[in-house]
Amino acid sequence: MTDVLGEVATRQIQWHVSPLMVALLYASMSAALVVFAYGFWRRIRVWRLGRPEVAWDHPWARLRRTLIDAGAQASVLRDRLPGAMHALIYFGFLVLFAATVVVFIDFDLGIPIMRGAFYLYFQSLTVDLFGLLLLIGIAIAAYRRYVLRPSRLEHGNRADALMLGWLALILVTGFLLEGMRIQVRHDPWASWSPVGYATGLASHGVLGSNATLKDVYPWLWVFHVFLWHGLLATIPFTKLIHMVTSPLNVYFANPGPAHGVVAPTNFEDADVKLGIRTPFDMSWRQLLALDACTECGRCEAACPAFAAGKPLSPKRVILDLRDHVRGAFPQLREAGSALGAGDETRAQEILQGMPPLAGGVIKPDTLWSCTTCRACEETCPVRIEHVPLIIGLRQNLAMEQAAVPSGVAEAMANLEARQHPFRGANASRTDWLAGLEVDQVSSLEEVRAVELVYWVGCAAAFDERAQLVARALVTVLQHARVKFAVFSQESCNGDVARRTGNEFDYSMLARANVEALNGAGVERVVTHCPHCLQQLRHEYEQFGGRYTVVHHSELVSSLIEQGRIRLAPGARERVTYHDPCYLGRYNREFDAPRRILDALAVERVEMPRSRTESFCCGAGGGHAFFDDADGGEKINAIRAREAAATGATTVVTGCPFCLTMLASGARAALSEERPLQARDFVELVADALID
């Protein structure tokens, strides 16, 4: 594009600065890049201390997710005000960086691209507006941090204020430089840079003349250059490192559907590690995640343990581990060098002199407060995986330090003696079948004669309330003429052992079950317990168990759609559905139970926290078998009040542990005037069957 005199739209780069100043530009840039590279290399050296982990598979799926979550800021924007604030800063910074690259291409590489329409539409108008948006984003960040002061943010860190002020000063000086140039040169394209043009008019009004503007310009230019290069150099040493580490962590995060799966322990290894004691026991990806944390506090706000006043903040777990690793870097580097030289003794001397991560850096009550619900992971904008890390720390407490809550020790003793974790249950696994005509299978020939195997689970085998669910499911399946049978060699799936860090007990149970299932040729399984579902569908794959496993909600919903289950229209009972963590967040099944409730023609109302944001019942992570840490209130009581607040008379769920917790929570939190019953949806189906 040209003006009336035929001049091509562009501007002079490095206007009115001396050769010495230009030399300072390149010298300071070189120094900043060296410091940046050194700082980032220090971080890489820390990550390399971790154990190996495969994270290069599924490259296109990983790249797509990174472009959506990190590139398009999709995960950040789920939280409106902080999401908008971060997006303004992120996209503003991105556009200004692109503008810097354009200058490099045009001036340093000699490729004339800052010309015509591109110069006007992008390098002038777009860059100007996005610079203003960036400044607005910084203002919102400052207002939110220092006026609104949400509790989930870290407060009292002067570096946060310094970073915001530093970024703002870079932008203000940049606009001042642009405005001075426009004003002094009478730029014919000034209207394409509205912010710079307005700044130039204001500068002229303050300083009084173009001559003064011209005198001030070169010194302000040098100051601006040093500001920007100084910021660049500090990035690896401040929280700004997340600009690099967060996209990396999003890329390397688990790409598959198997959420929350813990890496198996090889107990036959002579140098077996019993959980996470030192940073060397973490994977390189877990060490990277510590540096990826943005300190936004979303995980803390979503954590049911934190909401109940327990001594757990997922954010603080990550930050405390990060601060420990950074502070101990010299010792860790020395220990790593000793290991590299084959001096195991010296390395262990150094590591033994450091506090253990489990029980030292992170207190035991903090670790035992976790319900493994994955609410923290679901809301984390950079996909930090808190649960496998916490379970790894629990493993060290349980297997090396033998420091577990009393209920866990009792559950493990029951597992070892009776192959189930329930206290005082001496019945057999099949006593609940009394009066029901249900086959039991154990051989290849018997399994081939049925459509699918019903994996009952310990809860229905030994808990009287859960047995009602199992009997209701049997009734529904027989009504639909499904050929099924119970697996007579079933044992505890081991979930409670794995989630409480007792990996050795879990490994024995899992291997025995896989051997029995594979030996009988079992391929298709239905279970009403989401914890059994998680183990059979995902975690048994580590031991060679690969089965088609469905939750009973998926199966019953399908049978209704096929017309194999007919339901009588019932009263318009008002019900609310509670999403079990291990069915919803772990296995992404949200719709099948709701389809069943809709088929029952009940009045279904949703709680404010549902689906991916569902609030845990409090049973996960082994909490069904041991008490919460002292202090706070019961998680299940909080959830029961949420259910009652919808006006529902029944809270429906699809997990036997949720069923028990919600029922006890309702008794503890609600009065007789506000009764709330808890039922599994399959019980409602069994009640409504039409012959």
Side-chain angles (χ1 to χ4, degrees):
M1 298 180 68
T2 60
D3 64 7
V4 293
L5 299 177
E7 183 180 356
V8 176
T10 187
R11 68 174 175 86
Q12 180 182 346
I13 300 174
Q14 296 179 0
W15 170 76
H16 196 53
V17 292
S18 69
L20 177 60
M21 291 176 176
V22 174
L24 282 174
L25 165 72
Y26 289 105
S28 62
M29 172 61 81
S30 300
L33 289 174
V34 168
V35 175
F36 177 90
Y38 169 73
F40 200 74
W41 172 239
R42 279 173 58 94
R43 304 264 46 85
I44 293 175
R45 291 179 69 182
V46 171
W47 307 338
R48 291 180 52 163
L49 296 175
R51 57 179 171 76
E53 182 179 1
V54 176
W56 297 96
D57 55 338
H58 309 293
W60 295 115
R62 293 179 183 273
L63 180 60
R64 179 178 178 273
R65 183 181 62 195
T66 304
L67 291 175
I68 294 173
D69 281 1
Q73 299 283 283
S75 58
V76 172
L77 288 168
R78 287 181 297 187
D79 203 346
R80 290 185 181 178
L81 178 61
M85 173 267 296
H86 193 279
L88 289 175
I89 295 174
Y90 171 79
F91 288 113
F93 192 90
L94 203 64
V95 170
L96 292 183
F97 178 76
T100 304
V101 173
V102 168
V103 171
F104 170 76
I105 293 172
D106 189 285
F107 185 81
D108 295 283
L109 299 184
I111 303 174
I113 61 173
M114 279 182 52
R115 302 287 189 275
F118 176 75
Y119 169 74
L120 294 178
Y121 286 109
F122 177 75
Q123 201 73 1
S124 295
L125 182 60
T126 301
V127 172
D128 228 42
L129 294 179
F130 272 85
L132 178 61
L133 292 176
L134 175 52
L135 200 55
I136 293 172
I138 293 170
I140 295 174
Y143 174 77
R144 181 169 174 266
R145 177 172 290 277
Y146 299 109
V147 178
L148 298 180
R149 297 182 63 83
S151 59
R152 76 189 199 190
L153 295 182
E154 295 291 299
H155 296 287
N157 189 347
R158 294 180 180 178
D160 293 332
L162 178 62
M163 287 298 105
L164 289 175
W166 201 333
L167 279 168
L169 193 54
I170 290 173
L171 285 166
V172 169
T173 54
F175 279 129
L176 284 171
L177 288 169
E178 182 184 40
M180 289 178 179
R181 177 188 57 79
I182 289 173
Q183 185 69 21
V184 172
R185 289 182 58 86
H186 303 290
D187 191 335
W189 314 105
S191 60
W192 289 87
S193 303
V195 183
Y197 180 61
T199 305
L201 292 176
S203 300
H204 184 271
V206 172
L207 296 179
S209 69
N210 285 355
T212 306
L213 293 179
K214 193 171 183 180
D215 290 339
V216 171
Y217 181 91
W219 302 109
L220 184 62
W221 183 87
V222 171
F223 180 58
H224 176 77
V225 165
F226 284 168
L227 280 174
W228 159 232
H229 293 167
L231 182 70
L232 176 63
T234 64
I235 286 175
F237 307 96
T238 66
K239 68 187 299 182
L240 291 177
I241 194 176
H242 81 266
M243 293 191 298
V244 179
T245 53
S246 293
L248 284 176
N249 197 68
V250 171
Y251 181 85
F252 289 121
N254 180 7
H259 303 287
V261 177
V262 184
T265 301
N266 182 8
F267 291 100
E268 297 180 359
D269 190 341
D271 191 30
V272 62
K273 302 294 184 183
L274 300 179
I276 296 174
R277 184 190 183 280
T278 75
F280 288 93
D281 302 323
M282 298 171 66
S283 72
W284 67 266
R285 194 165 64 88
Q286 288 174 323
L287 290 171
L288 164 64
L290 302 184
D291 284 322
C293 180
T294 65
E295 304 180 20
C296 67
R298 295 190 189 189
C299 57
E300 182 180 279
C303 177
F306 185 84
K310 312 305 178 187
L312 169 65
S313 162
K315 177 188 70 175
R316 284 264 38 110
V317 169
I318 297 299
L319 297 184
D320 288 348
L321 289 172
R322 182 200 68 185
D323 293 345
H324 170 76
V325 170
R326 289 182 178 179
F329 176 67
Q331 299 96 304
L332 294 173
R333 180 178 57 186
E334 184 180 353
S337 299
L339 287 173
D343 190 350
E344 178 77 21
T345 302
R346 175 56 184 155
Q348 290 305 317
E349 287 178 358
I350 297 169
L351 295 176
Q352 290 299 327
M354 300 168 60
L357 300 183
V361 178
I362 310 297
K363 301 302 180 187
D365 283 352
T366 298
L367 296 173
W368 292 119
S369 294
C370 178
T371 66
T372 68
C373 69
R374 290 194 61 253
C376 52
E377 296 181 13
E378 191 71 41
T379 194
C380 179
V382 298
R383 293 186 178 262
I384 293 174
E385 296 168 29
H386 307 74
V387 171
L389 178 58
I390 288 175
I391 292 177
L393 294 166
R394 280 184 175 183
Q395 288 175 351
N396 189 260
L397 287 177
M399 295 190 291
E400 183 173 296
Q401 303 180 41
V404 298
S406 59
V408 172
E410 184 178 354
M412 292 308 103
N414 287 333
L415 275 176
E416 293 171 2
R418 305 168 183 163
Q419 286 72 54
H420 69 77
F422 283 84
R423 178 184 304 163
N426 295 311
S428 76
R429 299 190 74 89
T430 55
D431 284 359
W432 69 275
L433 283 167
L436 297 175
E437 296 182 2
V438 177
D439 292 332
Q440 299 181 47
V441 296
S442 60
S443 67
L444 185 62
E445 292 75 16
E446 292 171 331
V447 169
R448 285 177 175 172
V450 298
E451 293 178 53
L452 75 167
V453 167
Y454 175 23
W455 185 274
V456 180
C458 296
F462 302 107
D463 179 77
E464 291 183 0
R465 178 63 186 89
Q467 287 174 359
L468 298 179
V469 177
R471 296 177 73 87
L473 179 58
V474 167
T475 299
V476 170
L477 294 181
Q478 290 177 338
H479 170 87
R481 291 181 171 79
V482 177
K483 296 180 65 177
F484 72 98
V486 171
F487 189 55
S488 62
Q489 299 181 59
E490 177 185 317
S491 185
C492 179
N493 66 64
D495 176 80
V496 64
R498 168 160 271 195
R499 264 58 194 177
T500 56
N502 292 277
E503 187 71 8
F504 184 76
D505 291 312
Y506 168 76
S507 179
M508 293 181 62
L509 290 165
R511 291 180 188 280
N513 279 328
V514 168
E515 182 179 355
L517 287 165
N518 290 352
V522 173
E523 295 180 355
R524 298 193 68 235
V525 179
V526 62
T527 181
H528 70 265
C529 176
H531 297 264
C532 295
L533 177 74
Q534 172 69 12
Q535 291 301 323
L536 294 167
R537 179 183 282 180
H538 298 300
E539 304 195 26
Y540 276 14
E541 286 192 2
Q542 297 174 335
F543 306 96
R546 292 175 173 81
Y547 318 107
T548 300
V549 190
V550 296
H551 187 251
H552 69 320
S553 63
E554 299 170 279
L555 177 60
V556 172
S557 175
S558 175
L559 292 172
I560 292 174
E561 291 177 0
Q562 295 170 25
R564 296 172 66 178
I565 294 177
R566 297 177 59 212
L567 302 173
R572 290 285 292 176
E573 179 185 8
R574 192 171 202 185
V575 306
T576 187
Y577 176 68
H578 164 78
D579 289 279
C581 302
Y582 277 73
L583 180 61
R585 278 188 288 266
Y586 275 79
N587 282 278
R588 317 312 287 181
E589 182 54 73
F590 303 105
D591 296 325
R594 290 175 169 83
R595 287 196 298 268
I596 294 171
L597 293 177
D598 292 343
L600 287 164
V602 298
E603 182 186 355
R604 177 168 63 85
V605 290
E606 292 284 0
M607 286 181 267
R609 291 188 280 196
S610 62
R611 295 182 177 266
T612 59
E613 298 178 1
S614 178
F615 193 80
C616 180
C617 75
H623 280 260
F625 301 96
F626 70 92
D627 292 332
D628 290 331
D630 293 337
E633 62 177 319
K634 298 293 186 182
I635 294 173
N636 58 342
I638 298 175
R639 189 56 166 170
R641 285 198 300 270
E642 287 188 354
T646 65
T649 57
T650 301
V651 56
V652 178
T653 188
C655 171
F657 294 103
C658 293
L659 191 66
T660 300
M661 297 298 285
L662 291 170
S664 62
R667 289 192 296 270
L670 304 177
S671 64
E672 294 183 2
E673 289 74 28
R674 283 201 307 161
L676 179 72
Q677 63 173 335
R679 302 194 74 187
D680 189 288
F681 65 85
V682 79
E683 295 178 291
L684 303 182
V685 172
D687 291 345
L689 291 175
I690 299 177
D691 292 331

